[in-house]
Amino acid sequence: MIDLEKRAHEKYGLPLAALDDSDAYTMLMEIVREKAQSLPDTEGKRRLYYISAEFLIGKLLTNNLINLGIYNEVKEQLYHAGHDLNKVEECEVEPSLGNGGLGRLAACFLDSIATLGLPGDGVGLNYHFGLFHQKFRDNQQTELPDEWLHEQGWLVDTGKSYTVPFGGFSVTSKLYDIDVLGYGRKTKNHLHLFDLTSVDESLVSADSIDFDKTALKKNLTLFLYPDDSDDQGRILRVYQEYFMVSNAAQLIIEEALERGSDLHDLDEYAVVQINDTHPTMVIPELIRLLVDEHGIDFDEAVSIVRKMVAYTNHTILAEALEKWPLSFLRTVSPRIADIIEKLDYAEKEKDADPAVAIIQNDIVHMAHIDIHYGFSINGVAALHTKILEESELKPFYKLYPEKFSNKTNGITFRRWIMGCNPALTSLLDETLGTEWHTTGDLSGLMEYKDDPEMLEKIGDAKEIAKRSMRAFIKQNRGIDIPRNAIVDVQIKRIHEYKRQQMLALYLIWKYLDIKNGNIPARPITVIFGGKAAPAYVIAQDIIHLILTLSQWIAADPDVSPYLQVIMVENYNVTAAEKLIPAADISEQISLASKEASGTSNMKLMLNGAVTLCTMDGANVEIADLVGPENIYTFGASSEEVVRLYAENAYRPHGLYLRPGTKLLVDFITNPKFMATGNPERLKRLHDDMANKDWFMALLDLEEYIQVKERMYVDYEDRSSWLKKSLVNTAMAGKFSSDRTIKQYNDEIWHLD
Ligand code: 26Q
């Protein structure tokens, strides 16, 4: 069907074999774009709009080829002409439109929505320089603009444009789309990305993410999460959010009118999923448009919107729950501030409990708008939803028990195994057929859990993945990984609650243990990947500790043959696709109750890594599925942690003073070690761990070390380890985002 040879002649006047990778990439991208353009839109009366500040979509060539069903064909034709599709795809620059789990979840959801044939689009912003590009200098993170936008990208100029009215001025938007293809589907959806006609990239220089935060007409779509350590930065975020949702609301209304709505029935034509609170202002904005632009009575507008919006909560961390001074909102849009005050007033009339008020002391609690004025609120894993209902949002749960539900997160199997792990995918296809591509059901593999031949094949697939991971690490960090190393990974945003610092303390323990002559059975390679928010000092300190440790251990010939610490630079979706298939151990070590769900836990499990975890987020569900012999758990329970916080009863200093622990923590400030790093950072981190340790790393440390050691020993029993690996893959079906999206649709969206 596809004739790449012919196409190469038409486009370049050359045989396919004569193209370089970059030309081959451009040609393939054009083919995919044309095919996508020719597909009709998924239709249906009611359409979903998934509004999100982030869409961490990753490279799209392989994913789109898979979803179009032409991956193998293209790969073979390239191969016969001497090209390697993987090399060709390396020419693609990964879009920088997200930061972490919430953004990647949105991307997985778009894939599943399209695959299920549901009419639903993403709506977000087209950040020109993304989050930031992470570079390491002097063992510290530096942040550079991530220049991902190129002539030959996936963006399609729609020609659509809206006016967004801010207090005192207005701006004009410009809508780009990225086509979203479903696996084996003949229709397409969209990722709508709004940009600003007046955006000015010259506000940003190549070597820094600083820019003039006051030049609003020029800067709104420059960066995702611009620095918010001052009021200027914070108010800029509110401008961005309003820009995003005003465009979204105008698009929603325009499309509903086109499909025949008279707007009194808008809720029959559109449903909005609010991904965390960043898009919350879509509620007052829809009300504003219905009332001011379309002549609908205020109360009626409120009741229409109430039936249209659903909210997903992704965190219980107080600092991540958005609260904005009403004065900020008034500066950004006086009308929106007025509407929020009206909504707040109406709620206060109904319920006098100050805990559920939208405005408290002139501060607007964004999540409270969503809960009062949306019809649905969901958590992202069973434990998380339970904590929302029973503690964090308890007064709301009492008011509206019927609005609450759980939707355990999921991941798209098209990217997180079929795309990234060809060896394991082929093995599963040979063994089970290909139904699992869409059903997610891998449980048939359980039949083979005692079959030595199958276990060896699972081991072989891991070896293949490790080879490609080693090449990636060599390219990314210039480091060679021993062929027989056990690969232990922690890949996620750097945050104290995720406790990368606890793994760092383990590494110090292991370093000292090897120094004492206890040589491990095989080399251990621990790989970290993740970015820290630029203004998050302790997270930056943790990166510094990891990089300094990495260098320290590598420089010690007594230890370096047995222990290796690597931190990937600029961890992103592309890096994840290399690391995840190769991992033996999945580190999911957040303080229980703090990780809403996690999704790298699911990706790693699917690819046969064995989980080392606390009973937090979706780890609880993984443990349930695989059983105790196929997972390693440790640490305080979420109930215990919640109690310690409630009673203010955690005392880290006493734990620090235990000789075994003190030795490890004090290693960080040992003068020789400090001399190789930045003493200010190391001292600050040391003191924080010894005195504050807000996320209780010292509480779980001893048990963590024990369990981790047991895990390394168990790895040496090859067949029993491979069996664990097999069981993890076999039981991962629950975590297909197709399952998650079916639940959203059946229980919240009700699309046709
Ligand atoms: C907060 C205040 C002001 C501005 C921005 C923010 C902000 C920015 C980003 C708050 C939260 C985020 C990102 C949150 C996130 O990625 N959460 C993760 O969501 C995943 C998908 O549900 C879960 O699996 C993870 O457990 C959760 O941490």
Side-chain angles (χ1 to χ4, degrees):
M1 244 173 69
I2 290 192
D3 189 343
L4 296 183
E5 196 58 63
K6 183 159 165 249
R7 187 76 183 217
H9 276 284
E10 282 166 10
K11 185 169 168 64
Y12 297 107
L14 289 171
L16 183 57
L19 303 191
D20 63 20
D21 284 344
S22 159
D23 287 342
Y25 171 72
T26 305
M27 184 178 88
L28 286 174
M29 193 201 58
E30 281 176 11
I31 293 172
V32 171
R33 273 181 70 129
E34 282 164 20
K35 284 196 171 285
Q37 291 278 290
S38 73
L39 295 176
D41 291 352
T42 314
E43 283 187 12
K45 180 179 173 191
R46 187 167 155 98
R47 222 179 159 77
L48 162 75
Y49 296 86
Y50 193 92
I51 311 181
S52 176
E54 301 183 31
F55 287 93
L56 197 47
I57 53 182
K59 293 183 183 184
L60 293 176
L61 181 63
T62 294
N63 181 242
N64 282 339
L65 290 171
I66 290 175
N67 284 7
L68 286 168
I70 56 175
Y71 180 81
N72 288 333
E73 193 180 336
V74 164
K75 191 174 174 164
E76 265 164 44
Q77 288 188 27
L78 286 175
Y79 180 78
H80 287 302
H83 292 289
D84 173 354
L85 179 51
N86 292 325
K87 285 265 169 305
V88 171
E89 203 195 31
E90 278 179 22
C91 299
E92 181 167 355
V93 183
E94 175 176 331
S96 186
L97 296 172
N99 137 90
L102 156 160
R104 184 53 234 175
L105 184 76
C108 284
F109 280 7
L110 293 186
D111 185 85
S112 285
I113 291 165
T115 296
L116 292 172
L118 298 171
D121 299 324
V123 187
L125 296 182
N126 188 41
Y127 310 103
H128 288 230
F129 299 110
L131 180 71
F132 60 82
H133 184 97
Q134 179 191 56
K135 277 226 175 282
F136 298 143
R137 204 179 297 148
D138 299 329
N139 287 338
Q140 303 181 63
Q141 170 179 291
T142 57
E143 300 95 17
L144 301 174
D146 199 349
E147 295 181 39
W148 67 277
L149 278 168
H150 293 274
E151 284 292 296
Q152 283 121 4
W154 296 99
L155 296 178
V156 178
D157 187 346
T158 66
K160 284 192 183 170
S161 170
Y162 302 102
T163 301
V164 176
F166 293 115
F169 70 101
S170 51
V171 297
T172 309
S173 71
K174 188 170 164 50
L175 175 60
Y176 294 96
D177 276 358
I178 293 179
D179 291 330
V180 179
L181 309 175
Y183 182 60
R185 283 279 167 183
K186 296 277 173 282
T187 61
K188 67 166 180 288
N189 289 338
H190 311 270
L191 170 52
H192 297 302
L193 296 172
F194 283 99
D195 207 338
L196 197 59
T197 49
S198 50
V199 67
D200 184 355
E201 292 192 356
S202 73
L203 249 46
V204 177
S205 66
D207 59 354
S208 151
I209 56 170
D210 289 339
F211 64 96
D212 179 356
K213 288 186 195 147
T214 62
L216 296 162
K217 284 188 176 175
K218 300 179 178 181
N219 70 17
L220 286 184
T221 54
L222 290 178
F223 285 99
L224 166 65
Y225 305 137
D227 169 48
D228 66 346
S229 52
D230 57 21
D231 273 358
Q232 263 178 10
R234 279 192 281 276
I235 204 160
L236 169 59
R237 284 203 187 175
V238 183
Y239 274 105
Q240 284 186 314
E241 290 181 354
Y242 183 61
F243 179 71
M244 174 170 75
V245 301
S246 177
N247 279 301
Q250 294 184 59
L251 176 76
I252 291 168
I253 288 179
E254 184 177 290
E255 291 191 343
L257 288 169
E258 279 167 15
R259 288 203 303 283
S261 168
D262 62 8
L263 301 189
H264 296 278
D265 56 2
L266 183 60
D267 58 289
E268 291 171 28
Y269 287 82
V271 56
V272 175
Q273 192 69 39
I274 298 182
N275 198 27
D276 224 88
T277 53
H278 319 135
T280 295
M281 279 184 284
V282 74
I283 293 175
E285 178 64 3
L286 279 167
I287 296 172
R288 179 187 78 84
L289 291 168
L290 290 176
V291 173
D292 298 0
E293 308 280 325
H294 298 280
I296 292 180
D297 168 72
F298 188 88
D299 290 338
E300 194 199 345
V302 172
S303 75
I304 295 168
V305 173
R306 242 186 229 290
K307 290 183 274 179
M308 283 176 67
V309 300
Y311 157 62
T312 304
N313 175 288
H314 295 266
T315 187
I316 62 158
L317 288 186
E319 64 269 29
L321 284 175
E322 283 188 295
K323 301 176 197 79
W324 299 116
L326 183 60
S327 62
F328 282 17
L329 300 184
R330 193 167 302 286
T331 304
V332 172
S333 166
R335 181 72 175 122
I336 289 300
D338 284 346
I339 293 173
I340 291 175
E341 280 193 295
K342 274 189 155 188
L343 298 178
D344 172 59
Y345 182 79
E347 269 319 305
K348 282 180 177 152
E349 291 275 277
K350 280 202 239 159
D351 195 312
D353 180 359
V356 300
I358 290 171
I359 304 177
Q360 302 172 0
N361 304 318
D362 290 326
I363 302 288
V364 182
H365 292 243
M366 304 307 276
H368 298 188
I369 302 180
D370 297 316
I371 305 172
H372 287 301
Y373 290 94
F375 67 88
S376 157
I377 155 168
N378 73 280
V380 290
L383 175 68
H384 171 59
T385 302
K386 183 168 151 355
I387 294 173
L388 292 179
E389 291 175 354
E390 291 176 5
S391 57
E392 291 309 303
L393 297 176
K394 190 170 174 183
F396 291 97
Y397 183 59
K398 277 195 178 153
L399 276 182
Y400 314 113
E402 73 290 350
K403 288 191 192 184
F404 282 69
S405 75
N406 176 244
K407 300 284 169 285
T408 297
N409 283 165
I411 57 173
T412 168
F413 282 23
R414 269 76 61 187
R415 181 175 294 268
W416 294 112
I417 181 161
M418 293 164 63
C420 70
N421 197 341
L424 187 55
T425 298
S426 304
L427 177 59
L428 295 172
D429 286 354
E430 281 161 28
T431 314
L432 305 172
T434 56
E435 290 76 30
W436 65 271
H437 296 179
T438 44
T439 63
D441 184 2
L442 294 164
S443 61
L445 205 54
M446 287 301 269
E447 266 181 50
Y448 301 88
K449 70 180 167 41
D450 297 306
D451 174 350
E453 218 173 294
M454 178 60 71
L455 294 177
E456 276 314 309
K457 287 182 183 168
I458 296 260
D460 293 346
K462 187 63 79 184
E463 279 313 310
I464 293 171
K466 282 186 178 178
R467 201 177 309 147
S468 120
M469 179 276 289
R470 285 197 297 269
F472 168 74
I473 293 289
K474 180 75 179 169
Q475 182 194 6
N476 184 276
R477 301 294 283 141
I479 298 175
D480 292 300
I481 296 177
R483 290 194 48 175
N484 61 337
I486 182 168
V487 176
D488 184 338
V489 307
Q490 187 177 20
I491 42 178
K492 46 188 80 251
R493 285 302 299 266
I494 310 300
H495 202 294
E496 285 161 282
Y497 85 79
K498 296 179 188 281
R499 301 197 295 190
Q500 281 94 354
Q501 71 276 29
M502 190 166 75
L503 176 46
L505 289 177
Y506 168 81
L507 290 166
I508 294 171
W509 180 87
K510 192 70 181 170
Y511 168 79
L512 295 172
D513 196 48
I514 296 172
K515 274 297 226 197
N516 281 333
N518 295 318
I519 304 299
R522 69 176 62 241
I524 296 166
T525 296
V526 174
I527 304 179
F528 292 91
K531 295 178 180 178
Y536 188 173
V537 175
I538 292 279
Q540 301 272 356
D541 295 345
I542 292 171
I543 291 183
H544 180 59
L545 171 62
I546 293 167
L547 290 170
T548 309
L549 258 180
S550 164
Q551 186 186 319
W552 178 270
I553 293 171
D556 188 329
D558 294 343
V559 181
S560 58
Y562 314 109
L563 182 64
Q564 190 173 41
V565 180
I566 298 171
M567 178 139 194
V568 168
E569 194 169 51
N570 200 43
Y571 176 68
N572 57 8
V573 177
T574 309
E577 287 167 1
K578 294 290 180 194
L579 298 174
I580 287 170
D584 296 305
I585 295 180
S586 161
E587 300 272 352
Q588 307 297 338
I589 60 177
S590 54
L591 175 64
S593 80
K594 296 295 177 190
E595 189 70 271
S597 161
T599 45
S600 76
N601 46 2
M602 303 170 184
K603 293 163 199 164
L604 285 155
M605 172 198 194
L606 175 62
N607 285 274
V610 179
T611 310
L612 169 53
C613 68
T614 51
M615 286 300 238
D616 199 14
N619 302 344
V620 177
E621 290 159 73
I622 295 178
D624 250 13
L625 285 163
V626 300
E629 63 281 19
N630 298 303
I631 193 164
Y632 293 77
T633 64
F634 69 95
S637 67
S638 70
E639 289 87 356
E640 198 175 336
V641 171
V642 169
R643 185 188 61 78
L644 284 170
Y645 280 118
E647 296 173 4
N648 193 16
Y650 181 58
R651 296 286 174 272
H653 199 70
L655 295 175
Y656 159 73
L657 290 175
R658 291 180 303 193
T661 302
K662 189 164 185 305
L663 184 72
L664 306 181
V665 179
D666 288 353
F667 185 91
I668 298 172
T669 48
N670 128 8
K672 274 201 197 143
F673 184 72
M674 276 224 284
T676 68
N678 173 324
E680 186 190 335
R681 285 201 182 280
L682 296 173
K683 177 88 174 59
R684 179 171 46 224
L685 185 57
H686 170 276
D687 294 354
D688 192 279
M689 283 195 201
N691 300 305
K692 187 167 169 223
D693 190 26
W694 186 244
F695 295 101
M696 306 182 190
L698 300 189
L699 180 67
D700 289 342
L701 179 64
E702 272 184 5
E703 197 189 348
Y704 176 54
I705 293 174
Q706 280 167 16
V707 175
K708 207 163 154 59
E709 283 297 292
R710 180 153 55 82
M711 210 167 176
Y712 286 157
V713 171
D714 289 357
Y715 183 82
E716 296 310 317
D717 183 344
R718 183 169 164 85
S719 66
S720 105
W721 184 271
L722 288 171
K723 184 168 160 181
K724 294 182 208 298
S725 174
L726 176 147
V727 172
N728 272 274
T729 300
M731 301 312 287
K734 173 177 180 185
F735 301 114
S736 161
S737 48
D738 298 349
R739 183 272 308 153
T740 314
I741 289 302
K742 274 193 202 100
Q743 290 180 327
Y744 273 91
N745 191 42
D746 291 347
E747 296 163 31
I748 302 176
W749 303 333
H750 306 296
L751 307 171
D752 309 328

